[in-house]
Amino acid sequence: SSELTQDPDVSVALGQTVRITCQGDSLRIHYASWYQQKPGQAPVLVMYGKNNRPSGIPDRFSGSNSGNTASLTITGAQADDEADYYCDSRDTDGDHLVFGGGTKLTVL
Amino acid sequence: EVRLVESGGGLVQPGGSLRLSCSASGFTFSNYALTWVRQAPGKGLEWVSSISSSGGRTYYADTVKGRFTSSRDDFTNTLYLQMKSLRVEDTATYYCAKQVVTVGVTGQFDYWGQGTLVTVSA
């Protein structure tokens, strides 16, 4: 089965732009979804498909895809964005789902 | 309002069994594939199993295949995960999740339950 690789730790200064990436062979075929998870809480979907943002998610969150890499960009990061971020996608065989290992975002 | 509420977690000995339930409301249950995702303490998310909207197809991670069984009851709007031959490494919070689209098994989980903790320990 495929794997999705994320940087374990990323930091950004308050108000600046940060990109969180997710790499894997399955992303050449399938779009990634992105989830935000804060301590003690269930994950929240923040981006899915080509560049779809669920209702209630601020427009400072955007997504992009290139080759085997999906990216989640936060433009003007806020303190409230400090969280763990996970990507997922269908596996290359289509019968499994796979999550990335997660990225801990620190807003300085 | 969409709600997913898991139950059935607890402490079980290695080799034991447990059945988790996920009670759903606020959407047309029978139209959507549903999924179990788990998270070991301090670790990342791991996909466990998905079941198609009809219940006719089920999918499992290699780590649980042959030990876990997903099922659904569209009359009571309940998703189940029957777990047997439990191992210490199955210790995790188990979430049920609904996906955005009705067709296929895609990920893209727009609603999650609050999770139920399963602890496998002697």
Side-chain angles (χ1 to χ4, degrees):
Chain A
S1 60
S2 299
E3 294 184 351
L4 296 178
T5 301
Q6 298 183 241
D7 292 328
D9 295 279
V10 172
S11 61
V12 60
L14 184 67
Q16 297 303 302
T17 297
V18 62
R19 176 178 293 179
I20 300 169
T21 61
C22 175
Q23 287 188 302
D25 288 340
S26 63
L27 300 179
R28 296 185 185 277
I29 309 169
H30 304 296
Y31 287 116
S33 304
W34 290 94
Y35 305 89
Q36 177 193 72
Q37 187 181 34
K38 297 180 179 179
Q41 298 183 18
V44 173
L45 181 68
V46 296
M47 193 65 55
Y48 67 98
K50 190 173 183 180
N51 188 14
N52 300 304
R53 200 171 49 247
S55 173
I57 302 302
D59 61 6
R60 62 178 178 271
F61 288 87
S62 62
S64 62
N65 304 272
S66 178
N68 72 336
T69 301
S71 300
L72 176 71
T73 299
I74 307 174
T75 303
Q78 303 299 303
D80 189 53
D81 300 332
E82 187 162 287
D84 294 326
Y85 289 84
Y86 295 91
C87 59
D88 84 349
S89 84
R90 295 175 71 177
D91 202 344
T92 49
D93 64 9
D95 283 347
H96 291 68
L97 297 174
V98 59
F99 281 94
T103 296
K104 180 178 180 60
L105 177 66
T106 300
V107 179
L108 304 172
Chain B
E1 177 193 6
V2 173
R3 287 197 72 202
L4 298 169
V5 180
E6 302 94 340
S7 60
L11 176 63
V12 61
Q13 293 187 336
S17 298
L18 209 58
R19 189 178 79 159
L20 305 183
S21 300
C22 172
S23 177
S25 60
F27 65 100
T28 306
F29 185 82
S30 59
N31 283 358
Y32 290 87
L34 296 163
T35 291
W36 290 98
V37 175
R38 69 184 180 183
Q39 187 170 35
K43 302 298 184 182
L45 301 174
E46 180 188 11
W47 171 72
V48 173
S49 174
S50 297
I51 184 167
S52 65
S53 56
S54 68
R57 294 198 68 180
T58 52
Y59 310 84
Y60 300 96
D62 292 343
T63 52
V64 307
K65 194 168 187 178
R67 301 187 298 121
F68 289 12
T69 302
S70 285
S71 62
R72 60 190 296 159
D73 184 338
D74 289 358
F75 289 102
T76 62
N77 289 358
T78 305
L79 171 70
Y80 298 101
L81 184 67
Q82 178 68 52
M83 305 184 294
K84 65 179 183 180
S85 303
L86 282 162
R87 305 168 180 168
V88 171
E89 54 266 33
D90 294 319
T91 294
T93 294
Y94 285 73
Y95 296 99
C96 63
K98 167 195 167 293
Q99 62 189 40
V100 172
V101 297
T102 58
V103 178
V105 177
T106 63
Q108 303 178 354
F109 305 117
D110 57 349
Y111 288 94
W112 298 65
Q114 84 290 349
T116 187
L117 178 63
V118 173
T119 303
V120 185
S121 174

